[in-house]
Amino acid sequence: MGIGSSVTSASLATPAEKGSRAAGTKTPSSSRPRMTWAAIGLVPFAVYVFLFLLLPTVLALGSALFADDGSLTADNVLALFDPLVQQTFVNSLWLSAVTALGGAVIGGLVCYALLGVRENGIARALVDAASGVLAQFGGVTLAFTFIATMGAQGVVTVLMRDTWGINIYEDGLWLYEVPGLIMPYLYFQVPLMVITFMPALAALKPQWAEANLTLGGTRWSFWTTIGFPVLLPSFLACTLLLFANAFSSFATAAALISQGSQIVTLQIRTALTSETLLGRENLAGALALGMIVIVGIVMTAYTVVQRRAARWQQ
């Protein structure tokens, strides 16, 4: 297009168009939002969020705050202050905290060891694949695995007892109690930590280490002054994610602990299925509401910490 045609098009423009061009703004026709196929792709995700997040939250809130006749009541929420119910929350909290911290430390060490492995190597690919599988390996299958190996008549238990005379259950069958859930939970917590923390560790820039060496620093000074401070937000965010994961776990604990309701998720099952809680059918909703509040606080803290961690990964 030549200069003459440009002048002609400019002279034929309306005053409104000239004003919008002078102001550097778009015309109304170009600023209209258009539906794209990418937006339609969000529909399945929106349906998933509604069915598995919003709807259960509304049902838990309704069953906790309303009686069967539809009247508003606080009896179900007040049941959360029962000493037995509070003990189940305490058990769930310390179990989640211990397995989250243990999984974060062990998984962090695994990630650190992977720094010495080629990113496209076989060892790295095997660890990534195993972590992806084992992070989802839970429930009845994981419980059966520990019963077959570490149970009262498990392979490892019998081998240690007959070969070295070591009876790991001399003080009781701890595998079928809350302390016995620590090892099964770590089994999927550690791989989850590897999946979530490895990208942050791999994002450390080599220029930072080179600058540290140029200034006369050592490897220890690099980690204490640069590596650990930079990775701390990501480490805390991953630990909070592991805490929420352990706090909401149910199937593995349900398969191992058949007697009693020692954690919150098992207490919810008892409230829904037991015949001894007649007249308190909405207790399960109150327990679920308590879990939603705790998980909401944890995930809010996770979001705040993750935003800080994302500054160093840009």
Side-chain angles (χ1 to χ4, degrees), residues 47-137:
V47 173
Y48 175 83
V49 171
F50 174 77
L51 292 178
F52 296 99
L53 183 62
L54 297 180
L55 184 59
T57 302
V58 172
L59 292 177
L61 185 63
S63 60
L65 299 180
F66 293 91
D68 294 335
D69 58 358
S71 60
L72 187 65
T73 180
D75 294 340
N76 302 318
V77 178
L78 292 177
L80 296 177
F81 297 95
D82 183 89
L84 180 60
V85 174
Q86 289 184 345
Q87 185 60 44
T88 59
F89 272 96
V90 171
N91 291 341
S92 294
L93 289 174
W94 77 256
L95 175 64
S96 302
V98 169
T99 57
L101 185 59
V105 172
I106 299 174
L109 293 177
V110 173
C111 293
Y112 177 75
L114 290 176
L115 289 179
V117 178
R118 289 194 303 112
E119 185 174 355
N120 299 325
I122 298 177
R124 177 68 179 274
L126 290 176
V127 173
D128 291 341
S131 299
V133 173
L134 296 178
Q136 305 298 325
F137 185 74

Side-chain angles (χ1 to χ4, degrees), residues 1 25 37 66 74 91 96 98 105 122 132 160 186 215 225 244 259-260 286 295 314:
M1 182 180 293
T25 59
W37 290 105
F66 293 91
N91 291 341
S96 302
V98 169
V105 172
I122 298 177
M160 295 177 64
L186 287 176
L215 295 175
T225 59
Q259 300 294 330
V295 173
Q314 293 178 353

Side-chain angles (χ1 to χ4, degrees), residues 194-210:
V194 174
I195 294 174
T196 56
F197 186 64
M198 190 62 201
L201 194 60
L204 289 177
K205 298 180 180 180
Q207 294 84 349
W208 297 343
E210 295 172 359

Side-chain angles (χ1 to χ4, degrees), residues 12 132 142 162 200 270:
L12 294 177
L142 179 61
D162 296 344
T270 301

Side-chain angles (χ1 to χ4, degrees), residues 7 20 25 63 87 89 108 139 150 168 211 264 276 297:
V7 174
S20 62
T25 59
S63 60
Q87 185 60 44
F89 272 96
M150 302 291 296
I168 60 176
V264 181
T276 61
I297 294 174

Side-chain angles (χ1 to χ4, degrees), residues 75-305:
D75 294 340
N76 302 318
V77 178
L78 292 177
L80 296 177
F81 297 95
D82 183 89
L84 180 60
V85 174
Q86 289 184 345
Q87 185 60 44
T88 59
F89 272 96
V90 171
N91 291 341
S92 294
L93 289 174
W94 77 256
L95 175 64
S96 302
V98 169
T99 57
L101 185 59
V105 172
I106 299 174
L109 293 177
V110 173
C111 293
Y112 177 75
L114 290 176
L115 289 179
V117 178
R118 289 194 303 112
E119 185 174 355
N120 299 325
I122 298 177
R124 177 68 179 274
L126 290 176
V127 173
D128 291 341
S131 299
V133 173
L134 296 178
Q136 305 298 325
F137 185 74
V140 178
T141 306
L142 179 61
F144 173 77
T145 301
F146 272 88
I147 293 174
T149 56
M150 302 291 296
Q153 299 298 326
V155 176
V156 177
T157 304
V158 174
L159 179 63
M160 295 177 64
R161 183 181 59 201
D162 296 344
T163 305
W164 299 291
I166 300 176
N167 185 9
I168 60 176
Y169 293 112
E170 185 176 358
D171 298 329
L173 296 175
W174 47 265
L175 181 64
Y176 307 102
E177 298 177 355
V178 176
L181 295 176
I182 295 178
M183 286 195 303
Y185 277 29
L186 287 176
Y187 199 85
F188 57 78
Q189 292 281 65
V190 172
L192 182 60
M193 181 65 180
V194 174
I195 294 174
T196 56
F197 186 64
M198 190 62 201
L201 194 60
L204 289 177
K205 298 180 180 180
Q207 294 84 349
W208 297 343
E210 295 172 359
N212 175 71
L213 293 175
T214 302
L215 295 175
T218 61
R219 176 176 295 184
W220 175 251
S221 66
F222 167 77
W223 285 109
T224 54
T225 59
I226 301 175
F228 289 142
V230 170
L231 293 175
L232 183 59
S234 297
F235 183 85
L236 293 177
C238 294
T239 304
L240 291 172
L241 184 63
L242 265 61
F243 179 91
N245 183 50
F247 188 73
S248 59
S249 296
F250 165 74
T252 303
L256 282 176
I257 301 178
S258 58
Q259 300 294 330
S261 303
Q262 303 177 33
I263 59 176
V264 181
T265 52
L266 299 183
Q267 185 70 27
I268 293 176
R269 180 192 63 180
T270 301
L272 291 173
T273 60
S274 176
E275 297 179 356
T276 61
L277 293 177
L278 295 177
R280 300 179 66 182
E281 294 82 359
N282 293 335
L283 177 61
L287 294 170
L289 180 61
M291 290 190 65
I292 290 173
V293 172
I294 294 176
V295 173
I297 294 174
V298 172
M299 296 313 296
T300 300
Y302 167 81
T303 303
V304 174
V305 176

